[in-house]
Amino acid sequence: MASEELEYAGFWIRVWASVIDTLLLGIVVYPLLTAIYGDAYWEGANFVHGPLDFLISWVLPAVAVVAFWMARQATPGKMAIAARIVDANTGNNPSTGQLLIRYLGYFVSCIPLGLGIFWVAFDSRKQGWHDKMAGTVVVRKKSGTTRPVEFNA
């Protein structure tokens, strides 16, 4: 798809995609953790309840998200809003390295009260800090009056 047919996916549509992804992840994680640790898991104050908790709560989501990004350039939530992640300079699929940096960049974006995530609302290319760190943008087919996508290459 030519860049003039694309727009940057803005803050609120990306929030919606995140809600979808969170719900889908919860459908998988909640029953697994409850089956392993029982209902007491949800009342405990421990950050990590054991090795399986770490694998299910931290490793599984990371692997799933990066795998979806590598295979489809989008998580199910982004697919639902017809958005995808591309290299900010070329518009091509991002490299595995970019995707790993992007995922780790979410943690950096969240540390100062989520400022790096909210940055999407104010940035001209709708990039959060995680996108800027990885050199990516989130695009979708043009449907509104937002700024058209521009690639350098």
Side-chain angles (χ1 to χ4, degrees):
M1 188 174 294
S3 63
E4 60 272 359
E5 298 174 26
L6 298 174
E7 66 183 8
Y8 298 110
F11 179 77
W12 288 112
I13 195 70
R14 288 171 69 175
V15 167
W16 179 237
S18 294
V19 167
I20 293 168
D21 289 336
T22 301
L23 290 173
L24 291 173
L25 190 60
I27 290 170
V28 174
V29 169
Y30 182 85
L32 283 173
L33 292 173
T34 303
I36 293 166
Y37 295 101
D39 289 329
Y41 174 86
W42 304 105
E43 298 165 7
N46 294 343
F47 187 66
V48 176
H49 292 265
L52 287 176
D53 181 16
F54 179 77
L55 288 172
I56 294 167
S57 297
W58 293 90
V59 177
L60 174 68
V63 169
V65 166
V66 174
F68 268 107
W69 286 349
M70 290 173 66
R72 304 290 303 263
Q73 292 73 54
T75 56
K78 280 190 179 51
M79 287 186 255
I81 64 161
R84 60 191 173 92
I85 302 161
V86 298
D87 180 277
N89 291 321
T90 66
N92 295 329
N93 295 345
S95 69
T96 301
Q98 283 178 290
L99 296 175
L100 291 172
I101 291 168
R102 187 175 194 274
Y103 189 84
L104 294 173
Y106 275 124
F107 295 100
V108 174
S109 295
C110 288
I111 290 171
L113 303 173
L115 182 60
I117 302 293
F118 289 114
W119 200 260
V120 171
F122 306 104
D123 187 79
S124 65
R125 295 180 80 190
K126 303 303 179 192
Q127 289 177 293
W129 292 356
H130 53 288
D131 289 309
K132 290 186 179 295
M133 290 171 64
T136 59
V137 290
V138 179
V139 297
R140 64 188 198 139
K141 187 175 179 184
K142 192 158 181 53
S143 64
T145 58
T146 60
R147 179 178 165 202
V149 175
E150 298 171 12
F151 298 116
N152 295 331

